[in-house]
Amino acid sequence: MSSYESSAFSNWYVEECCDWEGVMCDPSHTRIQRIFFPHLRSASEPWFPNATLFAEFKDLQELELPGNHIGGFISIHGNFPDSLCANLFLKELILSRNNLFGSINSCLGNMVSLRLLDLSENQFNGSFPSLLISNLTNIESLVLSSNEFQGMISLCVFANLSRLSELDISFNHLEVETEMMSPSCSPSFRLSTLSLGGCNVKKIYPWMFHNITSELCLSDNNLTGPFISNFQNITSKLTILDISDNFLRGTLPEDINLNFSELRHLDLSGNSFNGNLPMFFSDQLQMLDLSNNQFQGEIPYSIKSNMSCLLYLGLSRNNLTGDLFPKNSSLPNLRWLHLNNNRLSGTFPYALSKSMKLRIIDIQNNELSGELSSYLPVLPKLSILILGGNQFEGQLPVKICQMRDLHLLDLSENDLSGDIPDCVDNVTSWLGRSENVVGYLPDGSRNGIVFTNKGRRYTYKAVVLSALMGIDVSCNRLTGKIPIQMTRLKGIQILNVSNNLLTGQIPSSLVNLENLESLDLSHNNFFGVLPHELVGLLYLEVFNVSFNNLSGMIPIRNQFGTFLSDSYLGNPDLCGHPLQIKCNGSTETPPIYARAEK
């Protein structure tokens, strides 16, 4: 075997090829059977490997190159070369999450040994290769999602693939006909997994619940009407059902668990379902997302108490009322709780003290009240606590300081009072020392976290959340000074204490918040000069100290040369650019001595 030191596989240089990185051989250590290179190439440069290299391995059965930014192959046919198709023994081909484009080479139809083909998350285009795929008689898993294929196809084209277990063609530009009554369709067409997200599917057929044995995903389609009214007597073995972001309406059966007794994951979010929530779900459910609907009434007791497997509960943006959870509730494995934008009342549910694995609590914009410090438990794994837009009162809970891995804290728009606790620097993550990555929204969740940043409300999804840290205690009645301990929080990017009754001078040590991108101190009672040291906040994009009692010269270096006059309104004794009020004396005058000249 010749050396490939000069190729993209620069570590393939030792004489014994079975010792190469990413290579697995047969037990006799003489034949290469698997090449596995996942996510090893830099995103900054596309990769164009020589496809003829793989053709030399005549016994190769598995070729896996996902997430390597492959822009094409060095071959006469470019993106899907003949040299790949020539391997008659290849059983698994995974080229997902690359930059491949163009149409699929017709030689694909010759790869009759293929059992798994994954070309997802590329830019393949043209007509869907139905004829080629129909020749892959041994195919078991076919994943072509998130490409640019076009046209109208029927599921009948897959009906003769007797070994097919997993089919995912979601999120292309396809219109998929799901009726299986045509004579050309096999009546025994069965799959473990069917994913048709974003495929312009217009109807759910009963065969889907009978013939799909594990996972059915029909999200982002054009499904309309009642969900299950035409086939009430269905008993399905599905473990995952996702029909989110459609146009389904009506009520759900109270005993939906009788239809879907084995569900682990149920996502009906983003529809127009109404009425009360079902009384009973499968007690094996791990993820339940009914957010963005029109459900009303109280959260059934069975959800609060009899679902010990539940990891994720999403009921946001409905019309739910009543208390959150009674004291005898128990959700011991709950990790994600999204109940925002309802009309839920009562105090913070102390029953959550039994949910010690919680990572996210988002119950903003409800009608919760009471002394927060009396009910908030210490949750050691909590990373995101969003309680804004309620009616909580009393002191800021000191218990927050004991939740050392907090990343995002939003207590805005409540009726909290008193000082900011001086123990905030006990939160390790805010000090920039957290070893955990949030990444806490589970796979398949479309819910994000709404958080105010740079003066606007943004919805953050899982990837961004993993790197976001901030504190928002705006719109309360907090008093006292900014504690010196708060100026030690080098990890935070967002600090919003606006619309309170805070006083004292703005501490120059805020410059220690070296990652700060948004700082809002507006509508308080701060006085004195703006510390010149703040020009050291080199990442600061938004700065607001309007409507305080500040005086002297505005710093102008670095980021401070970009802020507009809105940042300083309502401080009549401030002077200098960008205000129209000139300072008395030269620009070299130290700010503490500058006097406003009108």
Side-chain angles (χ1 to χ4, degrees):
M1 184 63 63
S2 59
S3 169
Y4 294 98
E5 186 172 5
S6 59
S7 76
F9 302 95
S10 58
N11 57 340
W12 289 15
Y13 57 88
V14 297
E15 185 173 343
E16 177 52 66
C17 57
C18 289
D19 292 333
W20 293 348
E21 180 183 353
V23 168
M24 293 183 63
C25 292
D26 65 352
S28 67
H29 218 59
T30 58
R31 298 176 179 179
I32 292 178
Q33 292 188 330
R34 183 189 187 204
I35 297 175
F36 179 54
F37 264 76
H39 311 282
L40 294 183
R41 302 292 298 182
S42 167
S44 61
E45 51 180 289
W47 183 26
F48 297 89
N50 191 338
T52 58
L53 171 66
F54 307 114
E56 296 188 27
F57 307 127
K58 303 300 183 183
D59 298 292
L60 186 65
Q61 296 184 14
E62 301 177 24
L63 176 60
E64 304 179 28
L65 305 172
N68 281 294
H69 307 281
I70 299 175
F73 290 92
I74 301 174
S75 168
I76 190 170
H77 284 293
N79 289 294
F80 201 97
D82 286 337
S83 50
L84 283 183
C85 304
N87 191 321
L88 300 180
F89 295 100
L90 200 63
K91 296 179 180 179
E92 297 188 9
L93 178 59
I94 300 177
L95 299 174
S96 57
R97 283 167 282 176
N98 283 295
N99 300 320
L100 297 169
F101 60 93
S103 57
I104 298 294
N105 194 319
S106 60
C107 72
L108 173 68
N110 300 328
M111 303 181 72
V112 293
S113 295
L114 273 182
R115 293 186 305 207
L116 186 158
L117 176 62
D118 186 350
L119 304 179
S120 62
E121 296 184 54
N122 280 286
Q123 301 167 42
F124 288 115
N125 54 32
S127 299
F128 189 81
S130 301
L131 183 61
L132 303 178
I133 289 170
S134 64
N135 292 332
L136 305 180
T137 53
N138 287 300
I139 199 76
E140 299 173 8
S141 176
L142 180 62
V143 184
L144 303 177
S145 57
S146 299
N147 278 286
E148 306 290 333
F149 294 119
Q150 300 176 7
M152 178 179 294
I153 64 171
S154 168
L155 286 184
C156 290
V157 302
F158 307 102
N160 292 325
L161 301 175
S162 59
R163 299 187 178 184
L164 188 63
S165 175
E166 177 186 16
L167 175 61
D168 185 355
I169 56 175
S170 55
F171 302 110
N172 282 278
H173 304 291
L174 300 172
E175 183 171 342
V176 178
E177 172 55 58
T178 54
E179 186 176 9
M180 299 292 286
M181 299 303 293
S182 167
S184 64
C185 285
S186 168
S188 61
F189 182 67
R190 300 182 70 86
L191 295 171
S192 170
T193 298
L194 176 61
S195 296
L196 300 176
C199 286
N200 201 24
V201 176
K202 295 181 173 63
K203 187 174 180 181
I204 301 175
Y205 288 92
W207 72 265
M208 295 179 174
F209 296 126
H210 291 296
N211 291 28
I212 311 300
T213 59
S214 182
E215 304 178 17
L216 175 61
C217 177
L218 298 173
S219 64
D220 294 281
N221 278 293
N222 290 310
L223 302 174
T224 59
F227 164 45
I228 203 170
S229 61
N230 296 328
F231 27 95
Q232 291 278 5
N233 295 325
I234 280 179
T235 301
S236 172
K237 299 296 184 183
L238 284 173
T239 59
I240 294 178
L241 175 59
D242 182 353
I243 53 172
S244 60
D245 296 314
N246 280 283
F247 303 94
L248 296 165
R249 55 179 172 80
T251 59
L252 297 178
E254 279 198 4
D255 52 357
I256 193 172
N257 61 313
L258 298 180
N259 301 108
F260 302 98
S261 60
E262 297 187 20
L263 275 181
R264 307 287 197 279
H265 175 134
L266 177 61
D267 191 345
L268 308 182
S269 63
N271 283 282
S272 297
F273 292 117
N274 55 29
N276 293 329
L277 295 174
M279 295 294 293
F280 300 102
F281 291 94
S282 165
D283 57 8
Q284 302 177 68
L285 262 183
Q286 296 178 2
M287 178 175 181
L288 175 62
D289 194 346
L290 306 178
S291 56
N292 284 77
N293 279 286
Q294 299 166 23
F295 291 113
Q296 61 192 38
E298 298 190 1
I299 301 173
Y301 180 78
S302 58
I303 293 181
K304 305 172 184 179
S305 302
N306 297 332
M307 300 181 72
S308 59
C309 295
L310 199 63
L311 305 176
Y312 181 105
L313 177 60
L315 303 175
S316 301
R317 293 176 291 281
N318 281 286
N319 298 309
L320 300 174
T321 56
D323 290 349
L324 264 68
F325 300 105
K327 289 183 178 180
N328 57 350
S329 297
S330 180
L331 296 169
N333 289 301
L334 194 65
R335 289 166 171 79
W336 302 278
L337 179 62
H338 297 267
L339 299 177
N340 61 75
N341 291 277
N342 282 286
R343 292 185 289 125
L344 297 164
S345 56
T347 61
F348 186 92
Y350 189 75
L352 291 181
S353 61
K354 305 171 188 175
S355 306
M356 298 299 286
K357 299 178 182 179
L358 268 167
R359 298 173 177 176
I360 290 179
I361 297 176
D362 183 358
I363 50 178
Q364 65 182 318
N365 297 328
N366 278 285
E367 298 172 6
L368 300 169
S369 59
E371 294 234 356
L372 184 59
S373 58
S374 300
Y375 296 97
L376 182 70
V378 175
L379 299 166
K381 295 184 180 296
L382 198 67
S383 282
I384 296 178
L385 179 60
I386 310 292
L387 306 181
N390 282 286
Q391 300 159 28
F392 291 120
E393 57 190 24
Q395 302 277 326
L396 284 179
V398 176
K399 293 175 184 176
I400 288 170
C401 302
Q402 299 177 52
M403 294 186 261
R404 303 278 175 102
D405 201 37
L406 268 182
H407 284 59
L408 289 181
L409 173 66
D410 184 353
L411 301 179
S412 64
E413 299 183 47
N414 279 285
D415 195 27
L416 298 168
S417 57
D419 296 346
I420 297 173
D422 57 11
C423 59
V424 289
D425 59 343
N426 286 348
V427 181
T428 309
S429 56
W430 289 342
L431 296 173
R433 300 174 188 162
S434 176
E435 296 181 359
N436 295 327
V437 176
V438 178
Y440 280 152
L441 292 176
D443 291 341
S445 169
R446 288 169 177 78
N447 269 323
I449 295 296
V450 177
F451 197 83
T452 299
N453 186 9
K454 302 171 187 175
R456 298 178 58 186
R457 303 281 282 174
Y458 292 95
T459 299
Y460 293 98
K461 300 293 186 177
V463 174
V464 179
L465 278 176
S466 66
L468 193 67
M469 292 195 192
I471 299 172
D472 187 351
V473 290
S474 61
C475 301
N476 282 285
R477 294 188 297 113
L478 301 178
T479 54
K481 300 178 180 180
I482 293 179
I484 193 66
Q485 290 84 354
M486 182 168 266
T487 69
R488 298 172 182 163
L489 309 183
K490 294 184 178 182
I492 65 170
Q493 298 137 303
I494 305 161
L495 177 58
N496 187 351
V497 297
S498 65
N499 291 276
N500 279 287
L501 303 171
L502 296 171
T503 187
Q505 294 188 329
I506 295 174
S508 61
S509 51
L510 282 173
V511 71
N512 294 329
L513 307 184
E514 54 193 33
N515 292 304
L516 208 58
E517 299 174 10
S518 179
L519 176 60
D520 193 344
L521 308 175
S522 64
H523 294 272
N524 278 287
N525 296 319
F526 294 118
F527 58 81
V529 299
L530 271 174
H532 183 73
E533 290 85 351
L534 297 186
V535 299
L537 293 171
L538 299 181
Y539 294 107
L540 199 61
E541 296 180 28
V542 171
F543 177 65
N544 193 347
V545 290
S546 60
F547 299 98
N548 281 283
N549 298 308
L550 300 172
S551 58
M553 180 186 294
I554 296 172
I556 58 173
R557 286 179 50 209
N558 299 335
Q559 296 296 97
F560 276 75
T562 67
F563 302 139
L564 302 177
S565 59
D566 289 353
S567 297
Y568 306 104
L569 294 177
N571 293 282
D573 292 328
L574 275 182
C575 61
H577 181 80
L579 299 177
Q580 298 299 315
I581 304 171
K582 295 182 180 180
C583 292
N584 184 25
S586 73
T587 55
E588 301 298 324
T589 306
I592 195 168
Y593 298 118
R595 294 183 304 175
E597 176 183 322
K598 301 187 180 179

